[in-house]
Amino acid sequence: GEDVEQSLFLSVREGDSSVINCTYTDSSSTYLYWYKQEPGAGLQLLTYIFSNMDMKQDQRLTVLLNKKDKHLSLRIADTQTGDSAIYFCAESLSGYSTLTFGKGTMLLVSP
Amino acid sequence: NAGVTQTPKFQVLKTGQSMTLQCAQDMNHNSMYWYRQDPGMGLRLIYYSASEGTTDKGEVPNGYNVSRLNKREFSLRLESAAPSQTSVYFCASTDGSPYEQYFGPGTRLTVT
């Protein structure tokens, strides 16, 4: 079955880089996602990567995928206090199936 | 476009009461989902509707029913609320693109 694991908490200083890690168990995963949830709000898609890619960069965000180890990471460069939120890793087997979410990593950015 | 809207935003129920959580989307999406979010548990899928006229159970369907009223609306009903159903409930929708579900703002439900 599908299972997604994340560390629960990360604290960094403003201006540093943040790296949030995720592992998944289903090697059939086709799409892997990072969602962001700000306090009191719903989830918003940050970025995604297809399983046939190793890396994707989008402005301050870099996603790395290691298929052999089933490991996904999200790097946020020059982290700002506005990046403080909960970050969810998620996987799906195809673009039309349901998503399986990790428990979320709370990122706290201090000035 | 309002995106995905949910009503109510907050609700307090007594054990045994019933209520319906409403969700609507104005993006002409085919698929809609109901999740619950509990501290330390992430998001768990309750029910989903891949298209108008179909509904399927997710990971935690017990104690809930759903109705896909039309393409826009997908409601979640608690027939006899229990304290274990205290949670934040999120509705989401997608057009089938492989990479984005759009989420509503959530309904915070407390069952006493």
Side-chain angles (χ1 to χ4, degrees):
Chain A
E2 301 167 27
D3 195 16
V4 179
E5 300 284 341
Q6 301 178 237
S7 53
L8 294 182
F9 185 74
L10 177 65
S11 179
V12 300
R13 290 195 178 277
E14 193 173 24
D16 288 349
S17 292
S18 307
V19 179
I20 301 171
N21 295 301
C22 169
T23 58
Y24 58 97
T25 57
D26 198 323
S27 57
S28 303
S29 295
T30 308
Y31 306 98
L32 295 140
Y33 312 79
W34 285 104
Y35 279 81
K36 177 182 180 182
Q37 183 182 31
E38 296 184 351
L43 278 68
Q44 190 170 22
L45 181 70
L46 266 186
T47 186
Y48 64 94
I49 189 167
F50 298 130
S51 60
N52 61 357
M53 299 167 66
D54 297 322
M55 185 182 90
K56 180 178 180 183
Q57 188 150 4
D58 185 0
Q59 300 183 333
R60 292 190 297 122
L61 305 178
T62 303
V63 178
L64 295 177
L65 175 60
N66 181 328
K67 287 187 286 292
K68 176 175 169 291
D69 294 337
K70 300 193 188 93
H71 183 266
L72 182 74
S73 67
L74 173 70
R75 179 176 180 270
I76 306 173
D78 188 24
T79 314
Q80 303 297 307
T81 54
D83 294 323
S84 291
I86 302 176
Y87 291 80
F88 290 92
C89 173
E91 64 171 355
S92 69
L93 296 183
S94 76
Y96 296 87
S97 76
T98 57
L99 297 181
T100 299
F101 287 88
K103 291 181 170 49
T105 299
M106 179 177 288
L107 174 65
L108 180 63
V109 183
S110 54
Chain B
N1 285 355
V4 179
T5 56
Q6 293 183 237
T7 56
K9 284 187 168 44
F10 300 92
Q11 184 71 48
V12 179
L13 290 178
K14 293 189 189 305
T15 297
Q17 287 184 317
S18 62
M19 80 160 294
T20 300
L21 281 64
Q22 306 287 353
C23 174
Q25 51 91 9
D26 62 1
M27 295 173 283
N28 202 36
H29 286 173
N30 284 317
S31 302
M32 298 185 73
Y33 308 82
W34 276 106
Y35 295 92
R36 59 178 289 173
Q37 183 178 26
D38 302 293
M41 296 295 289
L43 271 77
R44 293 181 292 170
L45 183 65
I46 305 171
Y47 270 94
Y48 66 104
S49 171
S51 61
E52 188 179 353
T54 68
T55 60
D56 285 286
K57 294 178 180 178
E59 181 185 353
V60 288
N62 291 346
Y64 305 95
N65 284 302
V66 290
S67 295
R68 183 74 183 267
L69 304 168
N70 47 55
K71 193 171 186 180
R72 288 187 65 247
E73 298 171 288
F74 188 38
S75 63
L76 178 71
R77 183 159 177 84
L78 286 71
E79 290 291 351
S80 178
S84 61
Q85 294 177 304
T86 294
S87 188
V88 181
Y89 291 85
F90 288 101
C91 178
S93 70
T94 182
D95 63 356
S97 297
Y99 42 81
E100 187 153 18
Q101 286 189 10
Y102 293 81
F103 282 79
T107 294
R108 281 150 184 78
L109 175 67
T110 301
V111 183
T112 62

